[in-house]
Amino acid sequence: MRHSTMRWCLPLGARGSGRAAISLRSLVLLGVWVLMDLMGRPRLRAANPEPPMARLPYVQASGPDRVHVLWRTEGPIRPVLRWGTRPDRLDRVVGKDDLVVRASLGAAGQAVPARWQALRTPENLALPKLHSAPVGTFQYEARIDGLEPDAVGYYAIFDGDRRLTPESADHRFRAQPKAGTVRPYRFWVLGDSGTGREAQRAVHEGMLRWVREDGRPLDFWIHVGDMAYGTGRDVEFQSRFFESYADTLRHLVCWPAMGNHEGHTSKGSTGIGPYYDAYLVPTRGESGGLASGTEAYYSFDHGNLHFICLDSHDLDRKPAGAMAKWLKADLEKAKADWLVAFWHHPPYTKGSHDSDKEADLIEMRHHILPILESGGVDLVLTGHSHIYERSMLMDGAYSTSATVAENFILDDGDGDPSGDGPYQKRPGLRAHEGTVQVVAGHSGAGLGRVGTSPVMRRTILEHGSLVVDVNGDTLVGRMINRDGLERDRFSLVKREGGGLVRRLALPWQPPEYKAPSKEPKTPHPPPLDYRVLIPEGSTWSQLASGHPQGTAWTRAGFDAAGWADRQPPFDLGRGRLKPANPSSTTGRPSLYVRREFTVPQADKVTELGLWVDYADGIVVHVNGQEVARANVGRSSGRNAQGVKPREDSGFVYLPLGPAHRHLVDGVNVLAIECHAHSDGAIDFGLDARLWMED
């Protein structure tokens, strides 16, 4: 069963508990979703491909004379890309012989579903391999050559003569302008977005709405990393990046930087992993800039802008390292009017990370920034810290200890054209005339703040992204929040006579940050798109008196003779939920339930989660392995200790973190134990449904 809209299940009424049946935080969350229904606003934005498509087409690695289109299918097709200068005249063809085809057909020792066994032919096994895509996945990479700079084209994907993509002008591309071309440009910047949750959707829609109302479209976009939480797995890329941004990816190139979460499964030293399968970036200077020979770091030109992407996660950051040497050589070659650098770990931040305490951040500040500022960098874009921070015009703050602003701020105004005025520089790329630092790690993940960096002019703790306009001698950046509202604006202007370097001994300082005394606990947001594996009203096996022996009850093959067949909610007659077995009314209540569920292909599962109402503590197992617990301190079963009263009530979403590691193709077992916090507890019970992120 597949849900294109969410199902919301209200908890049953309280019965002698003295607590509201719906907690305030659950009510607020549910109210937001209900309000979106009433407004006719779609909750689900993920674009799930229809078979045989497994990943919808997206454009990559553009240059003045070329662009690439990538897509995936379940099983092989006869791949054909047709393109042309009009959406109704696709008269040019890129066929199989001009495509790169990659495949995932099972690694050594990996079980291969029967439906894909026949694909393990010598020809298919000789194809370049996808690192860890679901078995049966084929990826196609088509290069369109011979374009004119700035040329617009349209494309469609075919399986032989059968069209797989709809007739739509949205499937289009635009070649990059010739290097040095001066005209208005607009690009979008976001980071730390890849959760597949409502905040990510809202940030994307807020940006699209603002751009639409402003009237100037985007030219391309930049992602500064952590686009696929939690470990950058292939299936996380699919559901939390490609499906979330499908409408934008199909016609705008995304230039990526690898974050630490992608770094769990992808390695910059080898260029192997789901991150490197997902993207194509220039390695031989195809899009301008100096050839790097690696996709871990690269550069490109877009008109009169030069961009540099670095790997701040797992490569040597020292001046003698290969990346820093390439960076120096690239800067010597750069002749653009504007220089923008981007990577993941911020040199300055006091958001959810502290740049004065973490080695990755300190090293980027100490080793890499001196090279960039000597090369005349104008704007540095980073993420990692889940906050929006934007600096004053600054230069030279490279300390490995606490960051200070004194003598490193060149202009301490707000940079706003309608406020203190824009920051001023001289034309061209000139050493040490000032840089603006932007931390844009606020595009979907949970927000956080530990303080205020003294070099920051704006610190905003809310979800959003950055839109940057460059028009001739003027650059303007705007932070657009999740509601499509402008929350910060800054500008750089490059003109003769501007940019007199003054190092301020006593620059403006931001107010001291005072952390709230107690942050309210917020519920973990559920995925936007999911399938129900164990629905409401399902029958479970339940043990309501005593405790099971050992842990065999959590695994497949367990003989549940003597267990009752029951439908939730369960509460032994002692709590606020409907009684299931009123015979057990003495001692500290505990109960155990188990149920089988089916997963056709385990390597396609992004996340399992419970939509669950419980009191007081639960421990959750999948195929004999613990995958989550709440309000139980340690141990399990009859030895469960440290059970705490649940502070709220009602249904919440509980992600089953590592559950995907323990799944098998076919039948699996979900087992849940529920414990009251004391012998006299009456507010006790369990009601659970199992969801799979789709």
Side-chain angles (χ1 to χ4, degrees):
M1 179 162 51
R2 177 176 183 157
H3 287 244
S4 60
T5 56
M6 304 292 280
R7 295 172 60 212
W8 305 117
C9 307
L10 298 179
L12 299 178
R15 195 178 62 175
S17 66
R19 295 192 301 195
I22 309 177
S23 67
L24 178 59
R25 66 190 178 104
S26 296
L27 184 61
V28 169
L29 187 60
L30 289 169
V32 169
W33 289 319
V34 170
L35 181 59
M36 288 193 296
D37 263 346
L38 295 175
M39 294 172 62
R41 181 177 180 179
R43 291 186 301 268
L44 177 62
R45 295 293 298 175
N48 297 280
E50 295 295 333
M53 300 294 285
R55 178 171 292 173
L56 295 174
Y58 58 105
V59 291
Q60 280 282 278
S62 62
D65 62 348
R66 71 187 67 194
V67 70
H68 294 75
V69 179
L70 282 67
W71 71 96
R72 285 183 176 184
T73 60
E74 290 186 351
I77 62 171
R78 295 173 297 159
V80 177
L81 181 142
R82 298 183 183 274
W83 67 279
T85 56
R86 288 172 36 181
D88 60 347
R89 185 179 295 173
L90 306 180
D91 52 1
R92 305 179 196 184
V93 176
V94 180
K96 181 178 180 181
D97 294 340
D98 299 314
L99 289 162
V100 174
V101 183
R102 306 179 191 275
S104 177
L105 295 170
Q110 181 180 2
V112 176
R115 64 186 293 217
W116 303 127
Q117 288 285 357
L119 295 178
R120 292 176 58 81
T121 64
E123 180 184 10
N124 285 339
L125 291 174
L127 293 171
K129 293 178 172 55
L130 295 170
H131 175 269
S132 51
V135 174
T137 300
F138 283 71
Q139 178 166 300
Y140 304 94
E141 303 169 4
R143 188 175 78 183
I144 301 172
D145 282 317
L147 300 173
E148 294 294 324
D150 250 345
V152 175
Y154 302 85
Y155 67 90
I157 308 302
F158 287 77
D159 178 5
D161 294 328
R162 181 167 68 105
R163 185 167 183 153
L164 299 179
T165 52
E167 296 185 14
S168 169
D170 289 339
H171 288 89
R172 64 183 185 273
F173 57 82
R174 184 171 190 168
Q176 288 179 219
K178 185 178 179 180
T181 301
V182 178
R183 66 167 175 82
Y185 299 109
R186 169 169 284 177
F187 60 95
W188 180 39
V189 183
L190 69 163
D192 302 79
S193 66
T195 64
R197 267 50 179 184
E198 191 272 337
Q200 177 184 11
R201 175 205 58 77
V203 169
H204 186 201
E205 290 189 349
M207 178 279 298
L208 291 174
R209 185 166 56 254
W210 186 89
V211 167
R212 184 170 57 250
E213 292 172 355
D214 187 68
R216 181 192 295 177
L218 297 171
D219 291 283
F220 59 93
W221 52 303
I222 288 171
H223 202 299
V224 294
D226 285 359
M227 63 276 290
Y229 285 102
T231 57
R233 293 184 297 133
D234 194 280
V235 291
E236 291 168 334
F237 263 102
Q238 179 59 29
S239 66
R240 298 175 179 180
F241 180 78
F242 285 101
E243 292 177 8
S244 297
Y245 299 116
D247 292 348
T248 298
L249 284 162
R250 67 177 53 136
H251 66 93
L252 291 177
V253 172
C254 175
W255 298 97
M258 189 174 77
N260 56 293
H261 283 270
E262 288 78 54
H264 284 283
T265 46
S266 299
K267 302 301 175 188
S269 57
T270 63
I272 294 175
Y275 171 84
Y276 293 101
D277 288 342
Y279 295 108
L280 282 180
V281 298
T283 61
R284 300 188 301 275
E286 306 97 313
S287 302
L290 182 68
S292 66
T294 174
E295 289 189 299
Y297 50 87
Y298 60 94
S299 62
F300 65 94
D301 292 322
H302 196 99
N304 62 333
L305 292 81
H306 185 64
F307 291 85
I308 294 173
C309 173
L310 300 176
D311 180 343
S312 62
H313 173 62
D314 62 352
L315 295 185
D316 186 355
R317 297 175 273 276
K318 295 182 176 61
M323 183 170 69
K325 288 181 177 179
W326 168 84
L327 173 61
K328 294 174 187 176
D330 183 82
L331 289 170
E332 289 175 359
K333 183 181 177 182
K335 293 181 173 60
D337 296 329
W338 295 92
L339 177 59
V340 179
F342 62 99
W343 62 84
H344 187 60
H345 297 83
Y348 312 99
T349 184
K350 294 289 183 178
S352 60
H353 291 272
D354 190 332
S355 60
D356 292 333
K357 295 182 178 179
E358 300 176 35
D360 294 350
L361 288 66
I362 292 170
E363 288 189 5
M364 291 302 291
R365 177 170 75 240
H366 187 64
H367 297 311
I368 297 299
L369 273 187
I371 301 172
L372 280 166
E373 292 185 343
S374 294
V377 67
D378 299 299
L379 181 63
V380 171
L381 306 167
T382 56
H384 191 54
S385 199
H386 300 171
I387 196 170
Y388 173 80
E389 296 167 296
R390 191 265 296 172
S391 76
M392 298 170 273
L393 190 67
M394 60 182 296
D395 176 79
Y398 311 138
S399 173
T400 58
S401 57
T403 298
V404 296
E406 290 79 4
N407 296 310
F408 300 123
I409 301 300
L410 309 185
D411 186 335
D412 63 355
D414 62 12
D416 188 339
S418 60
D420 296 336
Y423 302 126
Q424 302 281 339
K425 299 181 70 173
R426 291 184 294 171
L429 304 181
R430 299 174 182 269
H432 301 291
E433 288 201 358
T435 305
V436 174
Q437 300 274 341
V438 176
V439 180
H442 63 317
S443 302
L447 303 171
R449 183 177 182 182
V450 297
T452 302
S453 174
V455 301
M456 293 299 173
R457 201 56 164 82
R458 292 284 186 268
T459 300
I460 303 174
L461 194 67
E462 63 179 279
H463 287 111
S465 59
L466 181 72
V467 175
V468 179
D469 288 304
V470 182
N471 188 0
D473 61 5
T474 301
L475 180 151
V476 179
R478 296 175 175 87
M479 195 283 250
I480 307 301
N481 73 3
R482 55 175 289 152
D483 298 316
L485 302 176
E486 181 182 304
R487 295 283 283 114
D488 179 39
R489 183 192 306 180
F490 66 92
S491 179
L492 283 165
V493 174
K494 289 188 171 185
R495 291 174 186 163
E496 293 294 346
L500 295 177
V501 176
R502 299 179 303 123
R503 295 188 175 273
L504 303 179
L506 295 173
W508 175 90
Q509 288 287 278
E512 181 181 353
Y513 173 70
K514 294 183 179 180
S517 57
K518 186 176 181 181
E519 293 272 359
K521 188 177 179 181
T522 56
H524 195 290
L528 286 176
D529 190 15
Y530 67 96
R531 295 175 187 263
V532 177
L533 299 181
I534 301 179
E536 178 184 7
S538 298
T539 299
W540 300 61
S541 295
Q542 177 203 359
L543 179 66
S545 58
H547 302 276
Q549 296 294 321
T551 59
W553 72 279
T554 65
R555 299 190 291 271
F558 174 71
D559 183 3
W563 290 48
D565 291 336
R566 302 285 186 186
Q567 292 181 335
F570 312 105
D571 79 344
L572 312 187
R574 296 190 57 170
R576 56 192 167 86
L577 302 178
K578 182 178 69 176
N581 181 358
S583 62
S584 177
T585 57
T586 60
R588 190 183 79 172
S590 293
L591 62 85
Y592 302 83
V593 297
R594 66 189 307 275
R595 195 185 192 283
E596 294 180 345
F597 63 95
T598 300
V599 174
Q601 190 169 332
D603 64 359
K604 291 187 175 182
V605 175
T606 305
E607 178 181 283
L608 293 183
L610 292 181
W611 184 244
V612 60
D613 187 7
Y614 65 93
D616 285 295
I618 56 174
V619 183
V620 186
H621 314 264
V622 170
N623 292 337
Q625 302 293 322
E626 182 184 321
V627 293
R629 64 173 56 211
N631 289 348
V632 179
R634 58 179 178 170
S635 196
S636 59
R638 67 172 68 249
N639 299 316
Q641 300 178 41
V643 181
K644 298 179 180 179
R646 185 178 168 194
E647 295 180 354
D648 59 355
S649 62
F651 280 90
V652 293
Y653 180 75
L654 178 66
L656 306 183
H660 65 272
R661 301 175 190 167
H662 312 302
L663 294 176
V664 298
D665 296 346
V667 178
N668 295 263
V669 175
L670 173 67
I672 308 173
E673 52 188 90
C674 182
H675 303 283
H677 75 280
S678 68
D679 292 353
I682 60 171
D683 193 7
F684 172 72
L686 172 67
D687 192 352
R689 301 94 196 253
L690 181 64
W691 293 353
M692 179 182 77
E693 183 175 344
D694 193 12

